[in-house]
Amino acid sequence: MQMRRRTAVPGRDGTRPRPVSRRGVLGATLAGGLAATGGATGAGAAGGRREERPAEQRSGRPRPSAGGAVRLRWLGNNGWEIRIERDGHTRTVLIDPWLTRFRTGTYTPEGADPDTPVTVDKPLIDRHGLRADQILVTHGHYDHLPDVPHLAATTGATVLGTESHVNMMRAMGAPEEQLSVVSGGELLQCDGYTVQVLPSLHSMVGEHPRVPFPGTRPAEVPPRPRVISDLVEGGTLAYRVTVNGFSIVNFGGSNFSEAGLAGVRADLVLMQPGGSAIHALVPRMLRALDHPAYVVPTHWDDIDHPLDEPARDWGGLDSLRRAVREASPGSRFLVLDHLETLTL
């Protein structure tokens, strides 16, 4: 499919009261160009599903499931749906599902205004008809957390996040009994798969590298978040979902903890562009994960455009593609479009 080009926009440091650019938040290595994804069949309507395409298996790697399938669908930004189908049953894991995509101006030259109101479009979310057994929150920023309380209420899912994430979700009305505080290191046995919580790190950006909208919300439930700067990072987690020996690892930021990945391997990694402030991010991450068979980019689209339009590259996709090719030439780089599904 064809996608429109977008001009690179310089990043900002993301500190209040200055506007925040997601290019800055991700610490992007600025490189122009936009790659066609391939395999998609036009823009899908909200709640629709694009044509599914299978992933070829690299020799020596296990298939995800016996008598079933694993389907990976991109919900835009770092939002992912993992559907595990086996023995006539479907289990679903959501990661950072953010469908509202309220306009922030993140990719404009001015960047996102920290005083942008936080909104949750419940009818739009409901039109997607998502189901979930678990919802995994990587961190608390405005493009990751706001829709989760409503999705928890409508799906009955267990929601995993740090104490800060959970407290911010409590402030937004998430069902208390469904919230589970995790710290990194937990390995949860689910119905036919496991979820491993991994300690991780957020991107550091700016002339004096630091985490945008930093801070925590421990102990007490804060006031309901009103503007995007109220949704602080709150610690960052990564997650590994494993089905029949096949592991999918997702990172919510352009950084990671090398110690947190000790003994962790992946068959497929959901990796973000960016991370220019982090030393040798791509080769270090891929080496730590034992050079996954598949690298699928995440968090590469301009979030001011809705999911029923083709994804628009904010400018980091080609840089990530090149870095993966150089660091792990045996890994297959697969790019999904909005709402496109990859069958593993």
Side-chain angles (χ1 to χ4, degrees):
M1 62 177 292
Q2 294 183 343
M3 300 165 62
R4 285 180 284 178
R5 293 185 178 274
R6 184 162 181 83
T7 303
V9 178
R12 298 180 182 270
D13 65 7
T15 57
R16 192 185 183 110
R18 297 178 64 187
V20 177
S21 164
R22 177 54 55 181
R23 183 181 302 280
V25 169
L26 291 175
T29 299
L30 301 185
L34 181 65
T37 66
T41 55
R49 298 180 185 272
R50 297 181 182 274
E51 177 180 329
E52 298 181 5
R53 55 189 172 109
E56 297 175 1
Q57 299 294 316
R58 191 169 78 175
S59 60
R61 299 284 186 171
R63 295 199 67 86
S65 58
V70 176
R71 307 187 192 279
L72 182 65
R73 185 166 68 131
W74 188 34
L75 304 178
N77 206 51
N78 191 49
W80 291 92
E81 176 191 66
I82 303 173
R83 299 197 311 277
I84 301 158
E85 302 170 1
R86 56 187 300 171
D87 301 327
H89 299 285
T90 300
R91 297 291 180 262
T92 305
V93 178
L94 299 179
I95 303 173
D96 287 350
W98 184 56
L99 308 175
T100 295
R101 294 168 72 96
F102 53 83
R103 185 170 182 82
T104 64
T106 297
Y107 298 104
T108 64
E110 296 78 18
D113 182 351
D115 291 323
T116 300
V118 174
T119 60
V120 178
D121 190 336
K122 295 181 180 180
L124 183 150
I125 297 169
D126 293 344
R127 285 198 297 273
H128 284 270
L130 294 180
R131 299 181 179 182
D133 295 281
Q134 287 85 30
I135 302 177
L136 314 180
V137 176
T138 66
H139 64 279
H141 283 156
Y142 64 89
D143 53 342
H144 293 254
L145 181 138
D147 288 357
V148 174
H150 177 67
L151 281 165
T154 58
T155 65
T158 300
V159 181
L160 306 185
T162 68
E163 181 181 10
S164 293
H165 306 158
V166 166
N167 279 336
M168 288 188 285
M169 288 188 285
R170 285 174 174 138
M172 297 181 74
E176 173 67 34
E177 67 277 7
Q178 294 171 223
L179 302 176
S180 180
V181 175
V182 291
S183 303
E186 296 86 353
L187 179 58
L188 306 179
Q189 179 63 58
C190 304
D191 185 6
Y193 59 99
T194 61
V195 174
Q196 185 174 3
V197 187
L198 305 171
S200 195
L201 299 170
H202 194 276
S203 316
M204 300 179 68
V205 301
E207 181 181 358
H208 307 284
R210 51 187 168 177
V211 174
F213 296 147
T216 58
R217 296 290 184 264
E220 297 181 359
V221 177
R224 185 180 182 91
R226 183 180 62 85
V227 296
I228 63 174
S229 58
D230 293 334
L231 289 168
V232 297
E233 180 244 352
T236 295
L237 301 169
Y239 294 93
R240 179 168 75 159
V241 178
T242 302
V243 185
N244 192 38
F246 188 96
S247 291
I248 300 169
V249 175
N250 172 269
F251 294 95
S254 296
N255 199 357
F256 75 106
S257 166
E258 206 153 3
L261 293 185
V264 174
R265 66 176 293 279
D267 297 290
L268 184 152
V269 59
L270 299 166
M271 175 184 279
Q272 296 188 22
S276 62
I278 307 303
H279 172 68
L281 173 62
V282 172
R284 287 174 50 238
M285 181 182 288
L286 295 179
R287 183 172 60 247
L289 293 172
D290 191 25
H291 298 280
Y294 308 107
V295 176
V296 177
T298 184
H299 215 318
W300 60 268
D301 58 325
D302 185 336
I303 57 179
D304 278 343
H305 299 276
L307 285 179
D308 60 1
E309 296 180 4
R312 306 188 191 193
D313 179 13
W314 55 253
L317 196 56
D318 278 355
S319 292
L320 179 61
R321 186 194 307 273
R322 288 193 297 269
V324 170
R325 185 185 302 122
E326 293 173 4
S328 187
S331 298
R332 187 178 179 196
F333 193 85
L334 298 175
V335 183
L336 301 189
D337 199 0
H338 285 165
L339 302 176
E340 187 178 7
T341 295
L342 179 68
T343 300
L344 300 167

